[in-house]
Amino acid sequence: MTTAEQLATIDRLRREPFPGHRTPGRHGGTVGGPGFHLAELRRSHDFWEDDGTGWIETREQFAAEREALVLLLSRRWGSPEYVDLGVYLERSVAGEPVTEPLLTLCGCVTSVHAWRTGGRWIGIGVGQQSRELPFQLVVAIGEGNIGVVPPSGEPGG
C-alpha cells in the first residue's frame, strides 16, 4: 500500500461509524467493533529463514514509513502524543480489563503516535509479535482517551 493509500484508509476509517459488534477481517485486514477500528496498513514478510540482516533493514524501513505518516498527519492535526502501550499489556496479562482496540494493539505494538480529532483518537504504530513474524504498520481509531490511563476498573482502562 502506498502512502497515499494509507492516508486514504486512515481518512475512510476516521469517517466510518464504528460497528455494533466485532467484525474481523473487513476491508483487507481491518477489524472493528463497538468504539474502534484497527487496520493493518502494511505487513512485511516473515523472518524464519533470515540471518538478521533482512530483519534490521525491514525494521528501519517500517520505522521510516511510520515517521513519514506521523509527519503528514502532524501537518493536519498538530504534534502527536507519544503513548507507551506497556501499561495496557501489563493490565491484560494481569487479567484486568482493557478496552479495544488497545487490547489487540498492545499485543503487537509497544507504542503509538496519537492525535485526538473529531471526537476520536487515531494512533499509528509499528509492531511485531515475535522476532520471526512479520512487522506490521497499523492504525487504530477509537473513542475515549488514549494516553491517559484511568485506574483499573474505570472505563478506558
Side-chain angles (χ1 to χ4, degrees):
M1 192 180 290
T2 67
T3 302
E5 291 168 328
Q6 292 168 349
L7 289 170
T9 297
I10 293 166
D11 289 338
R12 178 180 50 78
L13 292 174
R14 196 169 63 88
R15 289 187 308 269
E16 275 188 10
F18 296 122
H21 62 282
R22 190 170 176 96
T23 56
R26 299 174 348 157
H27 302 297
T30 301
V31 175
F36 79 95
H37 295 296
L38 180 62
E40 184 177 85
L41 299 174
R42 183 151 183 260
R43 173 186 284 258
S44 75
H45 60 281
D46 65 45
F47 298 92
W48 292 102
E49 304 296 325
D50 185 61
D51 65 1
T53 56
W55 185 89
I56 292 168
E57 291 171 6
T58 304
R59 180 186 66 190
E60 291 171 356
Q61 180 182 13
F62 271 66
E65 287 185 31
R66 177 196 60 223
E67 293 308 313
L69 278 175
V70 167
L71 178 65
L72 292 169
L73 295 172
S74 294
R75 290 180 182 161
R76 294 179 179 183
W77 303 317
S79 296
E81 179 179 355
Y82 178 84
V83 182
D84 183 343
L85 299 177
V87 68
Y88 299 106
L89 181 59
E90 290 171 9
R91 286 184 175 186
S92 172
V93 169
E96 296 179 30
V98 177
T99 59
E100 288 291 1
L102 296 170
L103 177 62
T104 301
L105 196 60
C106 74
C108 171
V109 178
T110 59
S111 63
V112 293
H113 291 81
W115 299 263
R116 287 183 184 89
T117 181
R120 296 179 174 193
W121 61 263
I122 295 103
I124 303 289
V126 171
Q128 183 184 34
Q129 292 179 333
S130 173
R131 187 167 173 98
E132 295 82 15
L133 296 178
F135 281 95
Q136 298 169 281
L137 174 62
V138 297
V139 59
I141 299 173
E143 294 179 321
N145 291 321
I146 183 171
V148 177
V149 181
S152 296
E154 289 187 24

